[in-house]
């Protein structure tokens, strides 16, 4: 199974300056690159939107972008089937979310809203454009191959370790297992505002791949039983030297191998 991994899109960033088109241009390119590479599944690592309550115009443009995987086939087609769900009710997932190339997403700190309120990633799920995971696991079967995606959407940093311990995701034997989350990791990102609690040693073991959003530059860490990917972002939102040195990209995971495809539309930083 070929899986595309795309980091923080921040759709709608910089709405009143000359960069206002960048997030949409680069998000669209990211999805198009994945489809051109004939992936079977697309994962989004959170912060799909830049604000918790995007305008109707931003939502409309997001919907246009996430309709692209539905149009992969000339005729509306469903290759994916839900084998099982943990922590989520199947009734929450519209059947149309499985048409074309399925998209699975978690929400990030920019998307997150309070308990009982619908965040914009959940809204895209209700529109049948993707599947949203929040402390939940989905097992998909696509043309006979199975993959388990274990998703933990963003929680305030001080609760991250506690929530992860309660979630306690476990790999499912005999299939590909990916853990997808959106938090700071102490070895990579620290600020006086965030005070990250999670460290590399706190991450669960036994997964084929662990993917973290939130951190806007791409990196990999393969050590002590961990295979970690920092997905990075598709658009630059911060003036960081490391972001000027590392290209924005999408990532392709296939047969336990990881490779990246650079975006061509990235603005120079």
């Amino acid at each position: 199974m070929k899986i595309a991994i795309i980091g923080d899109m921040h759709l709608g960033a910089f709405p009143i300056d000359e960069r206002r088109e960048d997030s949409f241009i680069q998000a669209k390119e990211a999805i198009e690159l994945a489809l051109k590479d004939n992936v079977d599944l697309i994962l989004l690592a959170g912060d799909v939107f830049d604000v918790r309550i995007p305008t109707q115009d931003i939502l409309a443009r997001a919907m246009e972008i996430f309709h692209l995987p539905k149009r992969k086939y000339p005729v509306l087609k469903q290759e994916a089937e839900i084998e099982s769900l943990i922590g989520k009710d199947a009734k929450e997932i519209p059947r149309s979310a499985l048409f074309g190339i399925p998209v699975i997403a978690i929400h990030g700190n920019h998307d997150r809203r309070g308990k009982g309120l619908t965040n914009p990633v959940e809204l895209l799920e209700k529109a049948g454009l993707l599947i949203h995971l929040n402390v939940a696991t989905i097992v998909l079967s696509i043309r006979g191959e199975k993959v388990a995606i274990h998703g933990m959407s963003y929680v305030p940093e001080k609760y991250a370790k506690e929530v992860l311990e309660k979630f306690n995701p476990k790999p499912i034997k005999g299939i590909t297992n990916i853990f997808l989350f959106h938090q700071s990791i102490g070895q990579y990102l620290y600020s006086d505002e965030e005070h990250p609690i999670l460290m590399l040693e706190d991450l669960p073991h036994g997964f084929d791949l662990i993917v973290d959003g939130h951190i806007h530059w791409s990196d990999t860490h393969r050590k002590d039983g961990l295979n970690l990917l920092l997905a990075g972002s598709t658009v630059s939102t911060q003036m960081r030297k490391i972001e000027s040195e590392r290209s924005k990209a999408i990532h392709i995971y296939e047969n336990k191998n990881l490779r990246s495809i650079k975006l061509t539309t990235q603005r120079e930083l």
Side-chain angles (χ1 to χ4, degrees):
M1 187 181 297
K2 188 185 292 189
I3 301 170
I5 299 159
I6 303 175
D8 303 28
M9 290 179 166
H10 285 272
L11 293 174
F14 314 115
I16 57 174
D17 73 21
E18 66 180 48
R19 294 172 292 172
R20 61 185 173 272
E21 295 296 316
D22 288 15
S23 65
F24 301 106
I25 290 169
Q26 289 166 223
K28 183 181 178 186
E29 185 189 10
I31 295 293
E32 288 176 337
L33 286 173
L35 298 178
K36 185 177 179 181
D37 212 62
N38 293 314
V39 302
D40 301 297
L41 178 65
I42 297 173
L43 304 182
L44 304 180
D47 280 356
V48 178
F49 293 90
D50 194 58
V51 296
R52 298 174 182 183
I53 307 177
T55 66
Q56 290 177 326
D57 291 334
I58 292 170
L59 285 170
R61 297 191 68 176
M63 289 176 178
E64 287 177 357
I65 291 169
F66 290 113
H67 265 294
L68 295 175
K70 306 296 175 195
R71 303 180 194 138
K72 173 66 176 176
Y73 303 108
V75 179
L76 210 55
K77 189 177 181 181
Q78 180 181 339
E79 297 276 11
E81 296 286 348
I82 299 174
E83 291 284 319
S84 63
L85 283 166
I86 302 171
K88 188 175 180 72
D89 192 328
K91 294 178 182 178
E92 298 174 40
I93 303 174
R95 188 184 168 202
S96 59
L98 298 170
F99 292 165
I101 306 302
V103 178
I104 296 177
I106 58 174
H107 67 259
N109 53 306
H110 281 251
D111 309 302
R112 180 178 177 269
R113 298 187 72 201
K115 186 176 181 179
L117 300 175
T118 301
N119 70 54
V121 181
E122 291 175 304
L123 189 62
L124 293 181
E125 179 180 59
K126 292 180 185 297
L129 296 173
L130 53 76
I131 297 169
H132 171 251
L133 295 181
N134 182 19
V135 192
T137 296
I138 185 170
V139 178
L140 284 181
S141 175
I142 303 176
R143 289 189 290 277
E145 287 191 75
K146 295 181 183 180
V147 60
I149 308 299
H150 311 254
M152 180 177 129
S153 290
Y154 175 84
V155 297
E157 296 293 348
K158 63 182 178 179
Y159 302 121
K161 190 172 181 179
E162 177 186 352
V163 171
L164 180 55
E165 288 174 350
K166 287 183 178 179
F167 181 21
N168 192 26
K170 299 290 186 184
I172 298 170
K173 291 182 180 179
I175 64 175
T176 300
N177 287 268
I178 297 176
F179 174 52
L180 185 65
F181 73 116
H182 187 102
Q183 302 288 156
S184 297
I185 301 175
Q187 286 93 337
Y188 284 97
L189 185 64
Y190 183 87
S191 75
D192 290 335
E193 294 178 357
E194 294 191 87
H195 299 294
I197 288 178
L198 284 183
M199 305 293 285
L200 287 172
E201 49 268 31
D202 297 317
L203 301 181
H205 283 67
F207 287 86
D208 296 289
L209 183 65
I210 294 177
V211 179
D212 187 22
H214 193 49
I215 298 166
H216 282 195
W217 58 91
S218 297
D219 200 6
T220 57
H221 174 90
R222 297 182 181 90
K223 191 177 180 182
D224 301 326
L226 284 179
N227 185 16
L228 171 69
L229 168 69
L230 300 184
S233 63
T234 57
V235 63
S236 298
T237 63
Q238 302 164 332
M239 294 293 288
R240 289 181 180 268
K241 187 172 188 292
I242 193 169
E243 284 200 67
S244 70
E245 298 170 338
R246 300 193 187 183
S247 299
K248 301 301 181 187
I250 70 166
H251 312 279
I252 305 295
Y253 185 70
E254 183 181 19
N255 297 325
K256 298 189 183 297
N257 293 313
L258 194 61
R259 58 185 169 88
S260 299
I261 305 174
K262 295 180 181 178
L263 301 184
T264 63
T265 54
Q266 177 183 352
R267 185 186 290 270
E268 184 177 357
L269 176 65

